[in-house]
């Protein structure tokens, strides 16, 4: 998790493909399960500068919950708060097989210069998936 944090700090595009867990009761304890342990939402607060675009290819991690002070909390909202412009993430459980196909099409479109929101919409339509959302600025880079 430490190496992942140092690698993604300020990067242009970051993609996490992992299992994810969202915690309604403690959204800052929502996490991505990495090889060496969980990467919690609160860990992302240590980033100096959020990556420009982040793809969270994991179940449920695009969800947020209202916490103290009526503030939204979760992995995606923490990234947006650290300066990430665009977060693409799932808000429901998604099947691994179809997700891999969607992500391949998504990244091909992003490399071709398609805006993130449009790239995601096309990729999901192509593969019959609808569990991902584009949060933040989904326009042209």
């Amino acid at each position: 998790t430490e190496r992942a944090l140092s690698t993604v700090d300020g990067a242009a595009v970051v993609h996490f493909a992992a299992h994810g867990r969202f915690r309604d009761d403690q959204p800052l304890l929502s996490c991505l399960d990495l090889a060496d342990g969980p990467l919690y939402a609160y860990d992302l607060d240590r980033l100096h500068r959020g990556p420009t675009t982040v793809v969270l290819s994991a179940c449920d991690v695009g969800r947020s919950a209202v916490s103290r002070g009526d503030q939204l909390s979760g992995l995606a909202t923490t990234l947006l708060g650290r300066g990430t412009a665009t977060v693409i993430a799932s808000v429901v459980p998604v099947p691994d097989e179809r997700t891999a196909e969607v992500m391949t099409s998504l990244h091909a479109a992003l490399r071709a210069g398609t805006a993130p929101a449009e790239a995601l919409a096309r990729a999901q339509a192509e593969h019959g998936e609808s569990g991902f959302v584009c949060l933040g600025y989904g326009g042209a880079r």
Side-chain angles (χ1 to χ4, degrees), residues 22-36:
F22 177 74
R23 296 243 341 235
D24 254 337
D25 62 329
Q26 293 286 331
L28 290 178
L29 293 178
S30 298
C31 67
L32 297 168
D33 291 328
L34 303 184
D36 65 342

Side-chain angles (χ1 to χ4, degrees), residues 28-125:
L28 290 178
L29 293 178
S30 298
C31 67
L32 297 168
D33 291 328
L34 303 184
D36 65 342
L39 175 66
Y40 293 102
Y42 70 79
D43 289 326
L44 298 171
D45 267 334
R46 298 193 329 236
L47 294 174
H48 297 289
R49 187 168 58 98
T52 304
T53 300
V54 176
V55 178
L56 299 175
S57 181
C59 295
D60 296 319
V61 295
R63 294 177 52 202
S64 296
V66 178
S67 59
R68 292 185 194 115
D70 292 332
Q71 180 177 337
L72 282 177
S73 295
L75 283 160
T77 53
T78 300
L79 284 163
L80 292 169
R82 298 304 304 153
T84 296
T86 305
V87 176
I88 294 173
S90 174
V91 291
V92 296
V94 289
D96 291 346
E97 301 79 27
R98 256 196 344 252
T99 296
E101 295 168 350
V102 170
M103 294 298 121
T104 300
S105 294
L106 169 70
H107 283 288
L110 290 173
R111 278 192 309 279
T114 306
E118 183 178 344
L120 177 63
R122 287 182 188 175
Q124 289 192 117

